[in-house]
Amino acid sequence: MSANLNHIVLVDDNETTSFLNNRLLGRLAVADHVSTFSRADEAFEQLWGDNTTECSVPAPDLVFVDLKMPGVSGFEFLELYNALPQPVQDQTVMAVLTTSMHGADTARVAQYPNVEYLTKPLTEEKMRKLLEKRFQ
């Protein structure tokens, strides 16, 4: 499986989950670079910061964000992302990666246009389907 993405970002406060997802993405060789953040606010600041029109660092192709995190939650991260100008949003595919299958969470995520919803664990099959859907 080779999608040739430049940059995938993992935002999850669980170190084990991030480690396993990083290994899977490395094994699948779908991206040149994978970044991991344990805090959503740090990830957002690093990726988009104050400059919402043109960043010095190229925007990531794909961001996986967990919903339940201390500090800034995945939902708050999605709100910040949703407030970015549309051309900035268009550069990145946003995907929620969570253990939650609660109807309220899925309905809340569904309010965001173009945000994918995946349940943990991330697998080769889920990754393949996401790449086919959003990067073909």
Side-chain angles (χ1 to χ4, degrees), residues 74-129:
F75 285 117
E76 291 168 304
F77 185 88
L78 290 175
E79 280 296 316
L80 292 168
Y81 173 77
N82 205 42
L84 292 171
Q86 194 60 50
V88 175
Q89 290 182 47
D90 290 343
Q91 296 174 17
T92 303
V93 172
M94 187 66 58
V96 167
L97 182 61
T98 183
T99 56
S100 175
M101 292 174 28
H102 193 276
D105 287 342
T106 56
R108 192 168 166 194
V109 170
Q111 295 174 357
Y112 297 97
N114 295 319
V115 174
E116 299 295 327
Y117 193 97
L118 295 142
T119 55
K120 292 179 183 176
L122 183 60
T123 63
E124 183 172 347
E125 178 69 11
K126 290 175 187 175
M127 193 64 202
R128 185 184 58 73
K129 286 181 178 178

Side-chain angles (χ1 to χ4, degrees), residues 55-75:
C55 298
S56 56
V57 177
D61 299 298
L62 174 61
V63 174
F64 288 106
V65 64
D66 188 17
L67 291 180
K68 311 285 192 230
M69 291 185 288
V72 174
S73 72
F75 285 117

Side-chain angles (χ1 to χ4, degrees), residues 1-63:
M1 177 184 329
S2 178
N4 296 338
L5 302 181
N6 290 320
H7 189 194
I8 295 177
V9 175
L10 302 168
V11 184
D12 196 317
D13 62 311
N14 184 305
E15 287 181 28
T16 303
T17 299
S18 291
F19 174 77
L20 293 172
N21 289 341
N22 212 326
R23 278 192 54 190
L24 174 70
L25 294 171
R27 186 172 55 78
L28 298 177
V30 293
D32 296 333
H33 184 65
V34 177
S35 299
T36 304
F37 294 91
S38 58
R39 293 175 44 112
D41 56 340
E42 290 175 0
F44 190 86
E45 182 65 32
Q46 185 80 26
L47 298 172
W48 293 289
D50 306 319
N51 189 356
T52 57
T53 53
E54 194 167 315
C55 298
S56 56
V57 177
D61 299 298
L62 174 61
V63 174

